[in-house]
Amino acid sequence: MFIGWVIFFFLLGAVLGSFINMLSDRLPAEKSIVTPGSVCDTCGKRLGVPDLIPILSFIFLKGHCRYCRAKIPARALWVEIATACLFSLFWVILGPGVALAISLVYLCVFITLFVIDLEKGLILNVIIYPFMVLALLLSPFYLTGDGLLANLSSSFFGGLTGFGLFLLIYIASRGGMGEGDIKMAGFIGLVCGFPNIFVAIFAGIVLGGLAAAALMLSGKRRKGQTIPFGPFLAVGAVTAMLFGSQIMDWYLSLA
Ligand SMILES: [Zn+2]
């Protein structure tokens, strides 16, 4: 039974990963996400069911369009696999319930923000604003992974903390950090609440710092070149959603 549910959430995640790929292509280009149905970006041919099976179609077609042989970016595959694995992981950690349903919605939002910021360096208002409102509205029903019941004031102050901290960083860095990051930190605060927002930001900064150091050491990025921070914030947020209070307890035990 357990393994059955793990497989169920893996398949559900793979399908939503496919949807996230479509959003990541169309939202930054300001294209409709409803029409047309799935088409090849290169030849415009309408794609059928065999072309749209998550993960498998990409592997069988070796990452090319069936009709014009145009290359499909590898991102299409890794987003489907990552979303599938994360859906299974969320089920294993959170178990059934309202918290799981709400968490999976946020997870999809964070993966979409991750991909679009990584590829385009954009954090889109069309995603951030509606989900800020939703996060505040859902906060009384959102039980975080550690069993900590969030609520409206926790969500509100979390959002204020994230927004305020990043506004300060933005001012101090004189635009070295994007305005989108301020809104994203605010959104993460609304989702994770107070004090979990600190875990999300801390994890994001540690990961971002490590990645920047690794890129600089490998010679792929020069000093002064900026890397988008949104993807790291997204990973930090997912970490806080799953392990927020464990990390907080661990930190307090050190202090
Ligand atoms: Zn094609």
Side-chain angles (χ1 to χ4, degrees):
M1 199 57 199
F2 177 81
I3 198 71
W5 281 111
V6 172
I7 293 168
F8 171 80
F9 280 100
F10 185 89
L11 296 176
L12 182 65
V15 171
L16 281 152
S18 185
F19 181 66
I20 290 169
N21 275 317
M22 184 275 282
L23 293 179
S24 307
D25 288 329
R26 293 189 184 182
L27 288 177
E30 295 183 11
K31 288 181 187 163
S32 163
I33 59 169
V34 184
T35 55
S38 299
V39 292
C40 166
D41 284 333
T42 307
C43 65
K45 188 114 178 155
R46 191 71 176 255
L47 301 178
V49 174
D51 307 307
L52 295 171
I53 300 163
I55 303 174
L56 295 181
S57 290
F58 187 98
I59 293 171
F60 285 133
L61 296 168
K62 297 193 178 71
H64 291 85
C65 167
R66 183 194 302 275
Y67 309 100
C68 71
R69 307 302 303 157
K71 213 168 176 328
I72 302 164
R75 176 259 281 172
L77 177 65
W78 70 249
V79 166
E80 287 167 0
I81 293 177
T83 310
C85 293
L86 284 165
F87 264 56
S88 293
L89 180 70
F90 268 59
W91 186 79
V92 169
I93 292 179
L94 299 180
V98 180
L100 177 68
I102 297 176
S103 300
L104 291 178
V105 173
Y106 293 146
L107 175 63
C108 289
V109 176
F110 285 128
I111 297 172
T112 310
L113 289 168
F114 179 103
V115 174
I116 295 175
D117 197 23
L118 191 68
E119 291 184 344
K120 312 275 189 218
L122 291 172
I123 292 169
L124 300 175
N125 290 339
V126 70
I127 303 174
I128 288 282
Y129 289 153
F131 281 101
M132 274 180 158
V133 177
L134 190 78
L136 204 55
L137 294 176
L138 285 179
S139 62
F141 310 99
Y142 180 54
L143 193 72
T144 51
D146 39 60
L148 190 80
L149 186 63
N151 54 51
L152 205 61
S153 69
S154 156
S155 173
F156 178 79
F157 285 110
L160 207 63
T161 305
F163 190 89
L165 274 176
F166 272 69
L167 186 64
L168 288 176
I169 297 174
Y170 176 77
I171 294 167
S173 72
R174 297 176 190 196
M177 173 164 283
E179 284 165 38
D181 295 318
I182 308 174
K183 288 176 246 176
M184 185 157 168
F187 167 58
I188 292 170
L190 292 170
V191 168
C192 297
F194 189 93
N196 265 0
I197 177 62
F198 291 118
V199 175
I201 290 176
F202 179 72
I205 287 174
V206 169
L207 288 167
L210 288 175
L215 284 171
M216 224 180 280
L217 286 175
S218 67
K220 286 194 176 131
R221 297 253 171 183
R222 281 179 301 277
K223 206 173 174 177
Q225 225 174 343
T226 53
I227 40 173
F229 197 59
F232 302 107
L233 276 178
V235 177
V238 172
T239 308
M241 280 166 69
L242 289 174
F243 308 111
S245 77
Q246 283 98 321
I247 295 174
M248 194 64 109
D249 288 347
W250 168 78
Y251 178 77
L252 290 176
S253 74
L254 290 180

